[in-house]
Amino acid sequence: MSKAIIISKTGGPEVLEWKDHDPGRPGPGEVLLRHDAVGLNFIDVYHRTGLYPVAESPFIPGLEGAGIVEAVGSGVTEVNVGDRVAYAGVPMGAYAEKRVIPAHRLVSLPEEIPTTQAAAIMLQGMTARYLIRGCYSVSAGDTILVQAAAGGVGLILCQWARHIGAKVIGTMGSEEKAELARANGCEFPILYNHEDFPQKVKEITGGQGVDVVYDSVGQATFMKSLDCLRPMGMMVSFGQSSGAVPAFDPGILAAKGSLFLTRPSLMAYTAQRKDLLDHAKDLFDHVLQGAINIRVGQTYPLADAALAHTELEARKTKGSSILTI
């Protein structure tokens, strides 16, 4: 009998229970996947706490993993038994030693990318890809602001943007994280606990503001992020680690310079298989070229998912984190 982390009621990290779990056999269009590693992401916390409600209970959290295909159901053409694969996105259920998953959500891995690395890059890496290519197409000479620049998505965004030729400003909470961000392409780190980051951004940009803000923090930074934009700049709000953004009058966007605002999701940007494959290929190519270096900052046994969540919420993690099987 394999095991999984099962949530029977929403709440704190203590609701993550390590239990026996039979994944079942794959049906038509499905595969049985044996995980080598699972990605740890802040959206897992949102599901655990109930901030993002889950339709069924009990449920297995997790939206990212990588491993080996053990069995395939009828009609599967995307992968074969023995293939090394990875995924990110729905359906939920990654916090398990084995799981059944639709074959069309899987991506075959290049030989050079280990499954443990793949589990750390799929969700965050493809998120960075749609942010930098979909929400706003960053070009050489653009100036961007990355909130939480030393986090998993933040570090990838900084590297990718610098590779393109953009000027990268980032915020973080400590000098240690500032050094990490600087080493990964963030030219102008700002310690938000010690500096007024909108004022600092204006100083760095000569009063112009940035072309785009990537904000995964939410409530604590949202309004100040708007103050960092140039006229007709783009605000990309893609997370809320500090809490949900309160309702506000859209007229504020006009008053601050005819700003644009989007609240995207990876699920929408990769809903079609072609889009999923395009995102994955672009990400893998940049990793293999050395343009993006994926830093696995923390590794936890899957059984210790509660500890992983506790440290993630306490902002003790740096870069990407994985849960190993």
Side-chain angles (χ1 to χ4, degrees):
M1 176 70 72
S2 66
K3 288 183 173 290
I5 293 290
I6 297 176
I7 296 176
S8 298
K9 61 179 181 179
T10 57
E14 71 279 358
V15 304
L16 298 165
E17 298 183 285
W18 185 238
K19 293 184 175 183
D20 289 339
H21 170 68
D22 181 1
R25 300 296 297 173
E30 297 178 332
V31 308
L32 176 64
L33 177 63
R34 172 174 53 82
H35 283 128
D36 288 336
V38 172
L40 174 68
N41 298 284
F42 226 99
I43 194 171
D44 304 340
V45 173
Y46 300 158
H47 289 141
R48 189 205 76 219
T49 61
L51 180 63
Y52 289 0
V54 175
E56 297 181 2
S57 185
F59 65 94
I60 298 172
L63 294 170
E64 176 182 37
I68 310 297
V69 176
E70 283 202 341
V72 301
S74 62
V76 170
T77 58
E78 295 88 350
V79 296
N80 298 301
V81 172
D83 283 358
R84 300 168 57 256
V85 298
Y87 65 90
V90 292
M92 194 183 303
Y95 282 30
E97 293 179 327
K98 296 183 180 183
R99 71 169 299 181
V100 169
I101 187 170
H104 69 85
R105 297 307 303 169
L106 298 175
V107 174
S108 296
L109 292 175
E111 291 182 6
E112 300 89 341
I113 295 182
T115 49
T116 49
Q117 184 187 42
I121 68 174
M122 291 300 292
L123 193 146
Q124 294 174 350
M126 291 199 298
T127 294
R129 200 273 189 179
Y130 83 70
L131 291 174
I132 215 161
R133 292 297 191 198
C135 297
Y136 178 93
S137 186
V138 175
S139 302
D142 284 345
T143 302
I144 75 171
L145 171 62
V146 181
Q147 301 284 15
V153 175
L155 291 177
I156 299 172
L157 266 176
C158 289
Q159 293 177 75
W160 206 321
R162 282 295 293 148
H163 178 70
I164 291 170
K167 178 186 291 186
V168 181
I169 305 170
T171 67
M172 63 289 299
S174 69
E175 187 57 48
E176 182 184 9
K177 289 187 175 182
E179 287 302 315
L180 177 61
R182 187 179 289 112
N184 285 272
C186 178
E187 297 173 89
F188 302 96
I190 300 173
L191 299 179
Y192 58 75
N193 290 326
H194 303 286
E195 298 179 276
D196 179 14
F197 71 81
Q199 179 180 341
K200 191 68 177 178
V201 166
K202 290 298 175 66
E203 291 175 9
I204 294 168
T205 61
Q208 297 300 305
V210 300
D211 297 288
V212 57
V213 176
Y214 296 111
D215 191 329
S216 63
V217 178
Q219 185 180 83
T221 57
F222 183 86
M223 295 307 294
K224 286 188 175 183
S225 287
L226 295 178
D227 292 333
C228 296
L229 286 164
R230 62 162 170 79
M232 291 166 285
M234 172 65 79
M235 172 69 175
V236 183
S237 175
F238 69 101
Q240 48 194 48
S241 60
S242 69
V245 176
F248 73 102
D249 180 358
I252 291 174
L253 301 177
K256 291 182 180 293
S258 293
L259 304 179
F260 292 88
L261 168 64
T262 183
R263 181 59 173 90
S265 74
L266 176 64
M267 292 67 172
Y269 274 87
T270 60
Q272 301 301 314
R273 180 157 180 82
K274 181 184 183 303
D275 294 329
L276 171 66
L277 296 178
D278 287 346
H279 276 69
K281 183 180 185 304
D282 203 5
L283 172 62
F284 294 157
D285 286 348
H286 279 75
V287 171
L288 295 176
Q289 292 166 11
I292 297 173
N293 176 41
I294 303 300
R295 182 183 189 276
V296 178
Q298 299 75 216
T299 300
Y300 308 87
L302 180 57
D304 291 341
L307 171 62
H309 275 229
T310 298
E311 296 193 348
L312 179 64
E313 289 182 278
R315 302 186 187 279
K316 293 182 178 179
T317 62
K318 297 183 289 291
S320 300
S321 303
I322 60 171
L323 307 169
T324 55
I325 310 304

